[in-house]
Amino acid sequence: MSERRPLVVILDYRMGNLRSVQKALQLVGADARIATAPEEAAGADGLVLPGVGAFGDAMANLRDLGFAAAVREAVAAGTPLLGICVGLQVLFRESDEMGQHEGLALLPGRVTRFRPPLVVPHVGWNQIHVRRQHPLVASLEGGEHAYFTHSYFAVPEDEGDIVATTDYGSHFASVVARDKVWGVQFHPEKSWRVGLRLLQDYVNWLRS
Amino acid sequence: MPFTVYPAIDMRRGRCVRLRQGRADAETIYFERPAEVALQWQGQGAHWLHIVNLDGALDSAETWSGPNVEALRAILAAVSVPVQFGGGVRTVASVGRLLDLGVARVILGTIAVSEPEVVARALERHGPEQVMVSLDARDGLVATHGWVTSSALPTEEVGERMRALGVRYAVHTDIGRDGMLTGANVAASVALAEQTGLQVIVSGGVATLDDIAASARHAHRGLAGVIVGQALYTDAFTLSEAVQLAAATEPEHSAEGCAGSRDGEGPLE
């Protein structure tokens, strides 16, 4: 009897970067599908919010396409959600990127820009320092490198939501989790084996 | 790792030299003791050093006890910044030996073309933060063996093969520009980075601070740094100026929440 493939739905809210995420999830055993409208996300074992670009655009698209409401409902109903890069940032309450923008407010805290003298974006491979045990980082020993490319970072209000940090100027939160709402600031689909192990842990957790 | 300026120390017979276009007959000796040069660069703000062995393959007890390895040991003993080293590294054993000496990252050139399985094994053992490649090209084709032999392989093709093996960083040298102070080939390096997903370090021809800025502006597109050789030795600018400029240069792309490429087929492996 083959292992069940969890249905992971990747939300296409026009912020790109979907195919590589889909490929990666399929590689680690998920039935990964792309939803271009909220109805297509029904019945998902887990949702993924990918994303490249600006917070404000991301939130505008999520609202316009009905995904913002759908995500809030799904989370309230207990569906797991994983945000990637700007997909992590929109989980928070607000961001000061190009004005003040409201996020999904699923995690308390805000998003802010790396300040001078730090060069933005923070681009390249950097280390993940695990701060607490969590299914998402179950396969990590700590110190592994992942691929980052971002100019803003989340500042969680609740320290308990910080699963891992990465050093760039300060120790910023690179993996966050609160109940079933999780996020990674780096791109697991671009982070070679480390990224795949993390996605594998996500899929394994969905299966259980 | 932020965008990095790498001062280069090329060594022949234990001395720090500069060549033009890699030609052995176009050598200028700048310093008798590479360790002194290394300390100078560290003092001027270098975050990394790029050391190259120009004396051929490190494949015998003789070469391992020769003046270039001795000079490398002296450099490693003198400085505290990390050192990346290449030139003549042909085996997995040599990679391990260099890492044991204290080299932070070993660069494989010829081997990437002639024996990619060595690259694969070295990566398995030491990982992509400690093993990298150098893709040195003349007219878009990778050259090997001290740039004497031209392969028929386009740089992008070798780059893709290396990426598929798990290589993360690659030096990209435009041989025609190396040592000539004609300006760096940033465009080709960016193209290589975007095509392959490699973090590319630009090399060859850096002449002015404009080359530093031009490279740093494309950090978000995959340029991890720039190697400077001749320009530093002819005082075109100081290393301090280059390091400060690189740190102050913001990539061209507007700084966004997530700055990655939208359509990118992110490299999985």
Side-chain angles (χ1 to χ4, degrees), chain A residues 14-20 23-24 27 51-55 57 85-86 89 97 113 117-121 123-126 145 147 149-152 168 185 187 189-193 196, chain B residues 1-3 123-124 127-129 163-169 197 199 219-223 246-251 253-269:
Chain A
R14 316 288 188 270
M15 296 299 279
N17 184 229
L18 301 161
R19 299 282 164 205
S20 39
K23 267 191 185 178
L27 213 68
V52 161
F55 187 103
D57 294 337
C85 206
V86 79
Q89 295 173 8
E97 178 169 6
R113 199 186 203 259
L118 293 172
V119 171
V120 291
V123 130
W125 296 84
N126 206 341
H145 287 78
Y147 187 76
T149 174
H150 61 123
S151 304
Y152 288 72
Y168 191 60
Q185 183 59 75
H187 285 274
E189 76 285 7
K190 293 185 204 274
S191 296
W192 201 48
R193 289 186 194 150
L196 286 181
Chain B
M1 230 179 48
F3 184 88
L123 278 169
E124 275 303 309
E129 286 293 321
R163 189 74 187 97
L165 294 177
V167 171
R168 193 167 283 172
Y169 304 104
Q199 296 283 286
H220 63 292
R221 294 169 78 186
L223 296 192
T249 303
E250 291 219 352
H253 192 270
S254 67
E256 291 178 325
C258 174
S261 66
R262 248 153 248 259
D263 310 358
E265 284 286 338
L268 285 181
E269 301 246 73

Side-chain angles (χ1 to χ4, degrees), chain A residues 81-118:
Chain A
L81 173 67
L82 175 68
I84 298 173
C85 206
V86 79
L88 169 156
Q89 295 173 8
V90 295
L91 300 175
F92 288 86
R93 215 177 265 140
E94 62 188 7
S95 167
D96 55 38
E97 178 169 6
M98 297 191 291
Q100 203 66 23
H101 295 279
E102 276 177 35
L104 294 169
L106 294 169
L107 269 76
R110 61 191 173 86
V111 173
T112 191
R113 199 186 203 259
F114 288 113
R115 303 219 186 289
L118 293 172

Side-chain angles (χ1 to χ4, degrees), chain B residues 31-54:
Chain B
F31 289 92
E32 290 294 327
R33 277 184 285 275
E36 281 175 15
V37 186
L39 275 170
Q40 182 182 304
W41 298 142
Q42 178 173 273
Q44 285 201 29
H47 296 300
W48 273 82
L49 297 173
H50 177 77
I51 315 289
V52 183
N53 158 45
L54 293 174

